[in-house]
Amino acid sequence: MPSERRSLRSNKDSTSSTNGEKARADSQNSASSKDKPVPARTTSSKGKGIPAKKGGPNTAAKDMSGNQPKTNGTEPAENGVNGAEDIEMADEVTDNPKTSASKDENDEMTVVVPASKSSKLAGDPPKDNEGDVAMENTEGTGPDHKVAGAADPKSKAIADIKANFGLLERAVAQFDARFTLRVLRSISSVRKQLSPDIIAQVITELYPSSSPVAKTLLAAIGKEDASFEKPESGSEMEIDGQTRSRSNSGKSTSPSKEILPEVDTYLSILVQIYLYGTKAIELGANFSSNLVERLRTLNRRTLDALSARVYFYYSLFYEQLAPLPPSPMAPIVSIRQSLLAALRTSVLRKDQDTQATVTTLLLRNYLSTSHITQADLLISHSQFPPAASNNQIARYLYYLGRIRAIQLSYTEAHDHLIGATRKSPSTPSAGGFYQASTKLLIIVELLMGDIPDRATFRQPSLEGALQPYLQLVQAVRVGDLDSFLKIVHANNDSFRRDGTYTLILRLRQNVIKTGIRMMSLSYARISLRDICMKLGLPSEETAEYIVAKAIRDGVIEATLDHEHGYMKSKDAMRFPMNQHRLELKNAQEARERERELAKEIVEGEMDDDDAGGDFEGM
């Protein structure tokens, strides 16, 4: 270690004996060394302080000169201060509190060097402002921790509902529909916990007791006598001359604050979901009717997504009212005018969410009562919004494919159903829609004369639901009419529930055509009586009519002999009689000639040239 090195105590003694001239000379040297890196102070030097004295500018400049070697943590370093200003390297804790208290605050600078990572890990845990030890990244093992970790489902549901109020306020303030969509997506996690107590608690904490909206919502869930926890008056108190309202967690800051219509509609949707889940169909239908009437008086673009959801449940309630569709007296027929009015209003307001939802609801309404012509007119006189959500597009394509299949436009129906299955949501909750669209697609492919791919029936989400349709495809493929009729009779209820029964009945003609096609390939001539027995037809006249129609449509190439009562096919695979025996005889003669030639060659009577070989010498 160089001899010029000085300790901290020597610096303290030497600073009191230097004069001003030498300090000014050394200050120039210290200004040139201000860009040198500051050495880090080790933890071993903690607790050692450098007391400052008045008149310290000269002495500090002398000690901070760059002419002396410095070691890590033993001497202070320049902290980027220009000129001869006072620099004091003081620790967090000084040895003499009295001396440090007498320092001039304007001439004091404290530089704290952070400890190394290893010292932090090995040191004591940090403390907060109140002196308590902060427990970070620790896991509790006591019983109190287990109770706090297990959140109450009721409290969590209430907190989630109230958190959505803030998202709706942001959606209105920023005019951003993404916050509203987040609220609608969160309904799936809240709906399982919905109960009258939860909804009533949220309503009473949000609305004043005189709110008509609150009374309507409470009456719908049977909580008219619910007590409002927050009084209308006396909720403000005077603090430091300013009026401030009490703000509890989860409660609105002021009872006089205007509640947004978006919040009213969101709570109304929760009430609709609760009523539909508890099968309160009549009460839900009346509540939804009043809610739709109230929404018609509002013209707010931030309500578009919420209004579309309201109309969805509005139509769903009326579908469940007796008498059920397809009865012409079904209550669902009575809401068509309301849905058409909503469609006109949404088109004028450019409300694409409501327009797409109401369009699919109207198509569903017409199809439930078999009003195909009206559904076709709606499609031709309206335009589906291209910016609609993926789910609404999938629904629209499904209904469009069903309408085209009923109208015998199988190719167009096939294209629409392919699009519906591809746009079908992949979530488990949407598995029913994917199954329904796939079932209808299979029937359309059979009506087109095609056989669906076997891999379609092997999908895990479709294997059980498509079992009757797999048997149906097998019967159609082989042309077995008896098996086809048995399958239809055994799965009659399932096909009617899927809405494919009437289309499946059309497959009977396809099965018969397939059977006739198989017979034309198997028999060169077959009587009409045999055709009746194989296909299960009632009479020979019916068989003759079906064969004649198949010939005219180009299904088979054959002729009918009305006098003798048989069908002569031109496509039959003809095999000559005893042709195989002739081939065996020729093969035997050829082998005998080969043996004779080989014998003559061995005996020397013939050479290769006499045997007829056209071989040239190498």
Side-chain angles (χ1 to χ4, degrees):
M1 180 178 295
S3 60
E4 292 87 2
R5 176 181 171 183
R6 299 176 183 178
S7 63
L8 293 176
R9 293 185 179 276
S10 64
N11 286 335
K12 180 178 179 181
D13 298 334
S14 62
T15 52
S16 61
S17 61
T18 54
N19 53 16
E21 295 180 357
K22 187 175 182 180
R24 286 192 298 269
D26 293 336
S27 63
Q28 297 178 357
N29 296 332
S30 64
S32 62
S33 62
K34 64 181 179 179
D35 295 332
K36 293 183 179 181
V38 180
R41 188 179 65 186
T42 59
T43 57
S44 60
S45 62
K46 187 175 181 179
K48 295 181 181 181
I50 303 177
K53 296 182 180 180
K54 295 183 179 180
N58 296 333
T59 59
K62 181 178 180 181
D63 292 337
M64 296 302 295
S65 62
N67 297 329
Q68 298 176 357
K70 298 178 177 59
T71 59
N72 187 15
T74 57
E75 291 187 5
E78 183 89 13
N79 197 23
V81 181
N82 297 329
E85 297 179 1
D86 293 350
I87 302 175
E88 179 177 353
M89 303 298 291
D91 289 330
E92 297 177 357
V93 181
T94 57
D95 296 333
N96 190 359
K98 294 182 179 181
T99 306
S100 61
S102 62
K103 295 178 183 179
D104 188 7
E105 295 179 359
N106 297 329
D107 297 333
E108 179 180 352
M109 178 180 293
T110 302
V111 179
V112 179
V113 180
S116 61
K117 184 176 180 180
S118 59
S119 63
K120 287 183 179 180
L121 296 175
D124 296 332
K127 297 183 178 181
D128 55 10
N129 296 331
E130 298 179 357
D132 297 332
V133 178
M135 304 298 292
E136 298 180 356
N137 298 330
T138 58
E139 297 181 357
T141 56
D144 297 338
H145 177 76
K146 294 181 180 179
V147 173
D152 185 14
K154 180 179 178 181
S155 302
K156 184 178 183 301
I158 294 175
D160 292 341
I161 294 174
K162 292 181 179 179
N164 290 331
F165 296 161
L167 294 177
L168 293 174
E169 293 177 357
R170 293 177 63 185
V172 175
Q174 302 180 14
F175 203 75
D176 193 345
R178 293 178 298 176
F179 298 107
T180 306
L181 295 179
R182 287 176 57 185
V183 172
L184 293 177
R185 285 195 298 266
S186 67
I187 290 179
S188 59
S189 61
V190 177
R191 64 184 306 168
K192 296 181 180 180
Q193 304 296 334
L194 286 180
S195 64
D197 295 335
I198 292 177
I199 299 176
Q201 182 176 348
V202 174
I203 292 173
T204 54
E205 293 179 0
L206 178 66
Y207 293 93
S209 59
S210 60
S211 174
V213 177
K215 295 179 180 179
T216 303
L217 296 175
L218 291 175
I221 59 177
K223 289 288 184 179
E224 299 89 342
D225 55 348
S227 61
F228 289 78
E229 299 181 2
K230 184 171 54 178
E232 296 183 10
S233 60
S235 60
E236 296 181 353
M237 56 184 177
E238 202 71 25
I239 300 178
D240 298 335
Q242 298 180 357
T243 302
R244 299 180 182 178
S245 59
R246 298 176 181 178
S247 58
N248 298 330
S249 59
K251 297 184 180 180
S252 59
T253 58
S254 176
S256 60
K257 182 179 179 180
E258 182 181 0
I259 299 175
L260 297 175
E262 288 76 10
V263 176
D264 299 338
T265 308
Y266 170 64
L267 290 176
S268 301
I269 293 173
L270 295 182
V271 173
Q272 283 183 310
I273 294 173
Y274 168 73
L275 294 177
Y276 187 79
T278 55
K279 303 301 180 181
I281 304 300
E282 294 185 1
L283 183 60
N286 296 330
F287 176 79
S288 300
S289 299
N290 297 331
L291 179 59
V292 167
E293 293 296 332
R294 188 168 74 248
L295 286 178
R296 289 179 180 174
T297 62
L298 301 175
N299 186 9
R300 298 166 65 94
R301 298 283 66 78
T302 51
L303 273 174
D304 292 348
L306 297 172
S307 300
R309 188 63 62 92
V310 168
Y311 278 104
F312 173 76
Y313 285 105
Y314 170 61
S315 177
L316 208 59
F317 278 116
Y318 275 88
E319 287 183 3
Q320 304 296 327
L321 292 177
L324 298 176
S327 173
M329 302 301 295
I332 193 173
V333 180
S334 62
I335 67 172
R336 290 179 182 174
Q337 296 300 326
S338 177
L339 293 177
L340 289 172
L343 179 60
R344 290 192 297 268
T345 304
S346 62
V347 172
L348 294 176
R349 294 177 178 177
K350 297 182 179 180
D351 181 3
Q352 296 188 0
D353 293 332
T354 306
Q355 180 183 355
T357 302
V358 173
T359 300
T360 56
L361 291 176
L362 281 169
L363 293 178
R364 179 185 178 92
N365 195 321
Y366 290 135
L367 286 172
S368 64
T369 55
S370 301
H371 291 146
I372 308 303
T373 304
Q374 296 184 16
D376 188 32
L377 289 175
L378 175 65
I379 294 172
S380 60
H381 289 82
S382 64
Q383 183 178 3
F384 192 80
S389 63
N390 187 74
N391 295 347
Q392 296 298 333
I393 294 176
R395 290 191 182 100
Y396 180 74
L397 291 175
Y398 171 74
Y399 294 132
L400 197 59
R402 178 177 289 276
I403 293 171
R404 295 295 179 248
I406 295 174
Q407 294 176 339
L408 304 179
S409 301
Y410 298 132
T411 303
E412 188 176 354
H414 183 267
D415 296 338
H416 292 316
L417 292 173
I418 286 291
T421 53
R422 289 177 178 176
K423 288 184 175 294
S424 175
S426 58
T427 57
S429 59
F433 177 81
Y434 183 58
Q435 292 177 4
S437 57
T438 305
K439 291 175 182 178
L440 185 58
L441 178 61
I442 291 172
I443 301 302
V444 170
E445 289 182 351
L446 291 175
L447 290 171
M448 294 175 63
D450 300 335
I451 302 298
D453 190 5
R454 184 61 183 268
T456 304
F457 302 93
R458 295 177 179 174
Q459 300 181 30
S461 59
L462 300 176
E463 188 173 2
L466 296 183
Q467 188 63 31
Y469 293 86
L470 176 60
Q471 299 174 2
L472 198 66
V473 170
Q474 293 173 348
V476 174
R477 183 177 60 86
V478 299
D480 190 353
L481 185 60
D482 293 336
S483 177
F484 172 78
L485 295 176
K486 291 179 181 179
I487 293 171
V488 173
H489 180 72
N491 301 278
N492 187 6
D493 296 337
S494 178
F495 293 150
R496 289 183 182 274
R497 187 170 54 252
D498 297 337
T500 57
Y501 181 75
T502 56
L503 295 176
I504 289 174
L505 293 180
R506 299 181 186 179
L507 291 173
R508 182 175 181 272
Q509 299 297 327
N510 293 54
V511 176
I512 293 174
K513 289 180 180 179
T514 305
I516 294 176
R517 176 65 177 170
M518 299 293 291
M519 293 178 190
S520 66
L521 297 176
S522 302
Y523 301 96
R525 186 176 67 177
I526 184 173
S527 64
L528 297 178
R529 183 175 180 82
D530 293 338
I531 294 177
C532 291
M533 294 176 62
K534 291 181 177 297
L535 297 179
L537 300 178
S539 62
E540 296 182 9
E541 289 78 7
T542 304
E544 184 178 2
Y545 168 76
I546 294 175
V547 171
K549 190 175 185 300
I551 294 173
R552 187 189 63 180
D553 295 342
V555 178
I556 60 175
E557 293 185 3
T559 57
L560 272 174
D561 191 340
H562 179 70
E563 295 180 357
H564 299 86
Y566 65 86
M567 178 189 72
K568 186 177 181 180
S569 176
K570 299 179 181 179
D571 295 335
M573 293 180 286
R574 297 177 177 86
F575 299 96
M577 298 297 294
N578 299 325
Q579 181 69 22
H580 64 288
R581 296 180 181 179
L582 181 60
E583 292 177 355
L584 292 174
K585 183 179 180 181
N586 295 335
Q588 185 177 1
E589 293 177 354
R591 284 194 296 270
E592 290 178 356
R593 287 196 302 268
E594 291 178 357
R595 284 195 295 268
E596 292 176 358
L597 291 175
K599 184 178 179 181
E600 292 178 358
I601 292 174
V602 171
E603 293 177 353
E605 296 180 357
M606 296 179 59
D607 53 8
D608 294 339
D609 295 336
D610 295 337
D614 296 335
F615 302 101
E616 296 181 358
M618 296 300 294

